[in-house]
Amino acid sequence: MGAGRLYAAVAAGGFRRYATYRAATLAGVFTNTVFGVVLVYTYLALWDERPHLGGYDQAEAVTYVWLGQCLYATLAIQGGGFEKDLMERIRTGDIAVDLYRPADLQLWWLASDFGRAMFQMLGRGVIPFAVGALFFKMALPTDVGSWAALLVALLLAVLVSFGIRFLAALSTFWLLDGTGVNQAMMILGIFCSGMVLPLNAFPGALGEVVRALPWAAQIQLPADVLMGKTDPLHAYAFQAAWAVALLAAGRLLQSVATRRVVVQGG
Amino acid sequence: MDEHFIQLDRVEKVFDVRKKTGFMKRERRQVRAVDSISFAVARGEMVGYIGPNGAGKSTTIKMLTGILTPSGGRLRVAGIDPSRERTRLAHRIGVVFGQRTTLWWDLPLIDSYKLMHRMYRIPDARYAENLARCVELLELGALLDVPVRQLSLGQRMRGDIAAALLHDPEVLYLDEPTIGLDVISKAKVREFLRELNAERGTTVLLTTHDLQDIEQLCSRVMVIDHGRLMYDGPLTGLHEAGESERTLVVDLERELPPIEVPDARTVRVEGPRQWLTFPASASAAPLVARIAAEYPMVDLSVREPDIEAVIAKMYAEQAEKAVS
Amino acid sequence: MVESLRLRDGTRELPRWREGLRAYGLIAGMWVRSSMTYRASFVITVVGNLLVTGLDFATILLMFSRVDSLGGWSLPEVAFLYGLSATAFGISDLVLGSMDVLGTRIRDGSFDTLLVRPAPVLAQIGADHFALRRLGRITQGGLVLGYALVAVDVNWTVGKLLLVPVMLVCGAAIFGALFVAGAAFQIVAQDAAEVQNAFTYGGNTLLSYPPVVFGKDFVRGVTFMLPLAFVNWVPASYVLGRPYPLDLPPGAEFASPLVALVCCALAGLAWRAGLKSYRSTGS
């Protein structure tokens, strides 16, 4: 089997695994929709007091909310994708088996997480977004180009999201327990991705900082690309730079960790 | 002393099953997991309750313990209707689920026992006595301070049995108590149960896949299949009914009509897989050679007579009786 | 032999609710001791819980860094809403918040082992995975409430002051009823545990903001159908001297105990029905 087909099969497996949880997916759709509605109302009140906050008008703020709900599970903003499995395998030592597989550890998990993201997007993300578009005034572009641009931004966002969580998972090699890291990832994910408030609307220096962190690549930039608030190429460059940096760091950490396992005798 | 300590009178359990039959289409179907079963167990009896997977064993046990409510019929344990007075009954029964521990994973074994002590309100002296006895007979002494997660499967099973007995239950239900255990652990568990029954007069009802459990422990066996009671009597009768044949499972390259060879009978065909029975006294080798020569065989295995075979045989005999 | 059994049967039985509380205490204690076996993890999760739950208020602070009021409500007023809801929710989360493991317990069959114990199942499942880290939410909710009580511009009367603890208790009861109803739903649909998050966590988020922010139909829904409005919106409006949502008549501010009682009764019925329909796993 060619390498490409192997990883395609792994990705398909990741997709199918999540597709089997029908009730859980429906429950997730419902929850994201409810949270979306609550958030929309609070944003409307906020933008009512302060029009053009963060450079958005009300319709754009609403669009931002629903894109966020759509990407919440897709990008595993709170964690809970492949990294839990990987952490468990590292903790139990099963990881030694993975290292002897004729596949690259990082690519293997990337493929699997890509499959998961695809399912979460289609199965769980699209419906709340559609509900939002149906019941609230949104600022959706009508040209195909903007949507295509969003697609590219989302692909890069998946890479960044994976890169962050891969690093977090590998930390288990040294920490032996993922609880603390998972907690930290959850807090950073919610806050720095702009799940609670668009990063554009963060005040002063805090805003400068969060907009420079990799989490900005996850919701803020795709939203800005979709609504034409930024030059797509700028956004891509930012996302790609973080993706490359994170994936390279992951690769480095992986080789250090692998040597460690081999030295310990697996 | 009440003669019918456990009494079932035409007890039924019907489940509604929704089956997917197409995109968004579901079909509702009723499954009789337990179909009009009647039996009585006297105090102090030790009864084996056997049958293949999905036969209705666990469903029966769950109704006896009050976990499930019967769909019909009458059910009494120690005069109590289990599903109506589940918590009252709980004081008088002990339950061991073979594959699910009730012990506290992260805490030393003794902590789980202390919880039982308080939850069941076992008088202190009684608790101390029962614990000492279980510790001795089940050899738990060295394990009491070990977190349960560090125990082996056999050790944990022994620990679970002790946990189920600290409150002096009058009846003990065991669901697959020896599943997955090594030979030594199995022997210890059986020895303990035998003694419990002999000395304390505890009524024991156990489900198992392991005929040896029954052979060594039970004077009475009940066989259940498809929710119906197929056999109720001494073990010897069961032996006569079914232990005489072995089964050869043959995987062919493709689906074919039933294999025809002398000295063996094809009893089941499922796609390319076929089941043949042959006398336990005969050697399998010539039979295998013959089939390999005449049919495109991919794989095969020989099964010793087991509960499934016993039941299959009983079916066959019943059918014959019906015809003649 | 038999005589000793009879004697034991003769021990007096406690009323069910006391039996339940006792079992709850015993099991919760076991979970606390279990969690202490991983001390480092415990400390981390306590701090983590404090921070995660604090994110909600951080969001509100972020918003108020850009505006002076939200829907006409000032920061102390919104903090008042937030503190009441977060503390009430925190209490019910501490007491019943692990009910989402019920689905897992049903799927792996371990729910059966709870059913053969001589204690009410609701108490056992309520105490399941009891975790002291959940004190984090109560702590930060309480802190915000404390700030709000000082900062808010109210002419305190005895009645208004008394209403604060009443709101916390009734709020906790209303949220608790949601947890129990959610648990009952899980018996029917084990994988759908997340649905209850929409009502519990979602409800808590909702109640952190002034009712005027939300659409009328939406407010109607959370007043009459899912009476979350009685956790804080209605009584807090009274304390703050603001008009009631949906022009509810005067007196509505004291309806919370009644609403909580009805919610708990309904949740109890739902739990019973759920338990009755329990069918256990295949084997």
Side-chain angles (χ1 to χ4, degrees):
Chain A
M1 192 174 352
R5 280 177 54 196
L6 169 68
Y7 295 118
V10 172
F15 186 97
R16 269 199 305 274
R17 183 179 153 200
Y18 282 85
T20 51
Y21 303 121
R22 280 158 184 285
T25 306
L26 278 178
V29 166
F30 180 73
T31 309
N32 280 129
T33 309
V34 169
F35 270 94
V37 171
V38 172
L39 224 51
V40 160
Y41 279 124
T42 60
Y43 280 21
L44 286 176
L46 186 64
W47 261 264
D48 208 36
E49 299 278 341
R50 179 114 187 223
H52 305 297
L53 178 62
Y56 286 165
D57 61 23
Q58 287 203 337
E60 285 164 343
V62 171
T63 312
Y64 181 92
V65 168
W66 291 108
L67 189 66
Q69 293 303 319
C70 170
L71 297 181
Y72 167 78
T74 309
L75 300 176
I77 299 291
Q78 275 202 33
F82 78 96
E83 77 277 12
K84 291 264 166 74
D85 297 338
L86 182 51
M87 282 174 168
E88 188 60 17
R89 291 190 76 78
I90 295 173
R91 206 178 59 76
T92 56
D94 289 348
I95 190 73
V97 181
D98 300 351
L99 292 175
Y100 289 107
R101 269 201 213 128
D104 180 75
L105 191 70
Q106 194 182 30
L107 276 176
W108 174 283
W109 287 106
L110 176 58
S112 157
D113 199 52
F114 184 77
R116 182 202 58 79
M118 283 294 286
F119 175 76
Q120 298 284 35
M121 176 90 190
L122 297 173
R124 182 166 169 176
V126 169
I127 299 173
F129 192 82
V131 169
L134 202 62
F135 290 100
F136 297 93
K137 193 168 160 265
M138 274 163 69
L140 295 177
T142 46
D143 61 309
V144 182
S146 302
W147 292 96
L150 171 68
L151 221 55
V152 177
L154 286 184
L155 270 175
L156 289 166
V158 168
L159 286 180
V160 172
S161 154
F162 171 83
I164 295 171
R165 287 176 293 131
F166 189 67
L167 283 176
L170 288 188
S171 74
T172 317
F173 273 112
W174 289 272
L175 299 175
L176 301 175
D177 178 73
T179 318
V181 175
N182 281 335
Q183 287 267 9
M185 285 298 122
M186 184 175 176
I187 296 163
L188 288 169
I190 297 173
F191 196 75
C192 300
S193 297
M195 219 29 224
V196 294
L197 197 69
L199 302 181
N200 292 349
F202 276 46
L206 180 63
E208 302 288 332
V209 172
V210 291
R211 285 192 289 273
L213 293 175
W215 287 277
Q218 300 198 110
I219 297 177
Q220 186 64 57
L221 287 182
D224 284 348
V225 167
L226 176 68
M227 296 186 283
K229 291 281 160 185
T230 177
D231 177 0
L233 293 179
H234 275 171
Y236 297 162
F238 179 88
Q239 290 181 301
W242 269 117
V244 168
L246 289 165
L247 292 176
R251 198 138 270 279
L252 189 72
L253 209 59
Q254 175 186 331
S255 67
V256 177
T258 308
R259 240 174 287 141
R260 206 176 130 92
V261 171
V262 174
V263 170
Q264 284 176 343
Chain B
M1 195 175 265
D2 41 355
E3 207 175 316
H4 302 305
F5 184 62
I6 298 175
Q7 178 130 36
L8 282 81
D9 204 2
R10 274 178 280 171
V11 168
E12 296 186 348
K13 182 68 189 176
V14 182
F15 289 116
D16 271 339
V17 179
R18 281 192 198 86
K19 219 175 138 190
K20 220 177 158 236
T21 53
F23 185 69
M24 299 300 277
K25 255 201 263 174
R26 267 151 212 267
E27 192 181 88
R28 269 180 74 155
R29 201 161 56 89
Q30 287 202 324
V31 174
R32 295 189 168 280
V34 169
D35 191 359
S36 193
I37 281 187
S38 305
F39 64 78
V41 176
R43 201 184 274 276
E45 264 196 288
M46 201 152 174
V47 181
Y49 196 53
I50 61 179
N53 279 332
K57 284 174 302 185
S58 292
T59 306
T60 312
I61 299 282
K62 283 171 186 169
M63 286 192 285
L64 286 170
T65 49
I67 293 172
L68 290 175
T69 313
S71 317
R74 189 170 178 279
L75 177 67
R76 290 290 180 274
V77 176
I80 295 174
D81 181 349
S83 63
R84 276 176 179 276
E85 295 187 84
R86 199 184 58 239
T87 44
R88 192 156 85 89
L89 181 69
H91 280 287
R92 304 179 62 172
I93 64 172
V95 187
V96 177
F97 296 102
Q99 284 144 308
R100 300 160 198 141
T101 184
T102 59
L103 305 171
W104 288 73
W105 199 243
D106 288 319
L107 296 177
L109 186 55
I110 186 73
D111 288 22
S112 295
Y113 297 154
K114 286 179 184 159
L115 177 70
M116 294 296 123
H117 178 191
R118 300 188 58 192
M119 186 181 269
Y120 283 86
R121 285 212 203 76
I122 308 165
D124 292 349
R126 208 75 204 123
Y127 167 74
E129 189 192 322
N130 287 342
L131 182 63
R133 186 187 148 82
C134 285
V135 165
E136 188 200 327
L137 292 175
L138 289 166
E139 297 174 31
L140 296 171
L143 307 176
L144 287 178
D145 293 321
V146 179
V148 172
R149 63 170 187 276
Q150 291 170 14
L151 299 181
S152 73
L153 196 61
Q155 292 170 334
R156 209 160 71 214
M157 175 52 69
R158 273 145 55 203
D160 259 310
I161 292 177
L165 290 170
L166 295 174
H167 60 286
D168 281 323
E170 293 155 74
V171 54
L172 180 65
Y173 301 104
L174 298 139
D175 196 4
E176 302 285 355
T178 58
I179 201 164
L181 300 195
D182 59 84
V183 182
I184 298 167
S185 295
K186 278 186 187 182
K188 274 184 195 162
V189 166
R190 286 175 190 147
E191 173 60 33
F192 177 80
L193 293 176
R194 204 165 21 234
E195 194 171 318
L196 176 81
N197 176 254
E199 292 199 357
R200 297 240 156 167
T202 307
T203 311
V204 177
L205 189 65
L206 69 99
T207 74
T208 184
H209 265 84
D210 190 337
L211 264 185
Q212 280 197 317
D213 283 348
I214 310 280
E215 262 167 26
Q216 297 186 11
L217 293 174
C218 307
S219 53
R220 179 179 168 196
V221 188
M222 286 186 275
V223 180
I224 180 173
D225 192 27
H226 290 97
R228 286 178 168 277
L229 201 58
M230 305 287 297
Y231 177 87
D232 184 353
L235 184 63
T236 44
L238 192 63
H239 266 287
E240 281 161 22
E243 227 209 349
S244 53
E245 286 189 333
R246 288 196 283 172
T247 308
L248 185 67
V249 184
V250 182
D251 283 326
L252 300 173
E253 259 177 33
R254 56 186 184 277
E255 279 184 45
L256 285 173
I259 294 172
E260 280 179 49
V261 284
D263 303 325
R265 227 157 28 96
T266 306
V267 290
R268 202 168 141 204
V269 180
E270 234 172 61
R273 176 171 285 192
Q274 304 204 1
W275 282 257
L276 291 89
T277 57
F278 61 100
S281 52
S283 162
L287 186 63
V288 172
R290 180 137 197 176
I291 296 173
E294 293 177 21
Y295 292 88
M297 193 165 71
V298 184
D299 197 6
L300 78 122
S301 64
V302 178
R303 286 191 193 158
E304 294 305 313
D306 60 4
I307 289 165
E308 323 255 333
V310 170
I311 291 162
K313 190 94 195 301
M314 279 168 39
Y315 264 127
E317 272 162 21
Q318 271 196 346
E320 271 166 37
K321 267 183 222 155
V323 171
S324 61
Chain C
M1 179 68 225
V2 174
E3 269 142 52
S4 75
L5 291 173
R6 290 280 143 78
L7 264 180
R8 194 162 46 86
D9 279 351
T11 50
R12 74 211 140 76
E13 280 179 47
L14 292 175
R16 259 183 92 73
W17 66 271
R18 277 190 59 191
E19 192 71 61
L21 279 184
R22 185 170 176 276
Y24 186 96
L26 288 173
I27 294 168
M30 293 293 274
W31 280 108
V32 170
R33 303 212 352 248
S34 286
S35 69
M36 292 300 175
T37 59
Y38 304 100
R39 236 162 248 276
S41 267
F42 177 73
V43 173
I44 290 169
T45 50
V46 168
V47 176
N49 191 270
L50 202 68
L51 290 174
V52 170
T53 60
L55 276 182
D56 292 333
F57 192 64
T59 308
I60 292 174
L61 285 179
L62 266 182
M63 289 180 171
F64 275 92
S65 76
R66 312 306 300 266
V67 296
D68 295 325
S69 70
L70 207 57
W73 293 47
S74 66
L75 176 60
E77 287 175 311
V78 173
F80 186 55
L81 286 180
Y82 175 89
L84 287 169
S85 175
T87 311
F89 180 61
I91 293 169
S92 67
D93 186 42
L94 176 72
V95 176
L96 298 167
S98 297
M99 288 234 185
D100 51 352
V101 299
L102 176 61
T104 317
R105 283 223 179 268
I106 290 175
R107 248 176 290 136
D108 71 14
S110 57
F111 187 56
D112 288 351
T113 63
L114 305 184
L115 285 164
V116 298
R117 298 256 176 265
V121 193
L122 187 58
Q124 294 186 64
I125 202 76
D128 204 2
H129 287 263
F130 181 87
L132 283 179
R133 67 162 185 277
R134 294 206 160 83
L135 285 170
R137 191 187 293 277
I138 302 180
T139 310
Q140 64 92 8
L143 286 174
V144 174
L145 181 60
Y147 152 76
L149 287 176
V150 177
V152 89
D153 183 23
V154 166
N155 287 324
W156 288 102
T157 63
V158 178
K160 285 183 178 181
L161 215 50
L162 276 179
L163 210 50
V164 174
V166 170
M167 276 189 266
L168 292 182
V169 172
C170 296
I174 292 173
F175 276 123
L178 282 181
F179 275 117
V180 172
F185 181 65
Q186 280 184 68
I187 296 180
V188 186
Q190 290 107 56
D191 290 330
E194 206 179 339
V195 165
Q196 85 178 38
N197 291 355
F199 295 110
T200 51
Y201 289 85
N204 178 45
T205 308
L206 170 82
L207 295 178
S208 309
Y209 296 93
V212 287
V213 160
F214 298 94
K216 223 178 193 131
D217 286 328
F218 198 73
V219 176
R220 234 175 242 135
V222 293
T223 305
F224 298 117
M225 281 171 55
L226 196 73
L228 286 170
F230 293 92
V231 171
N232 61 356
W233 277 357
V234 180
S237 295
Y238 168 77
V239 172
L240 298 174
R242 288 188 166 271
Y244 295 165
L246 304 176
D247 302 321
L248 288 174
E253 68 273 14
F254 299 115
S256 296
L258 190 68
V259 171
L261 216 61
V262 171
C263 283
C264 289
L266 288 176
L269 288 177
W271 173 253
R272 275 195 172 194
L275 207 55
K276 210 162 185 189
S277 73
Y278 173 62
R279 27 191 298 172
S280 188
T281 45
S283 77

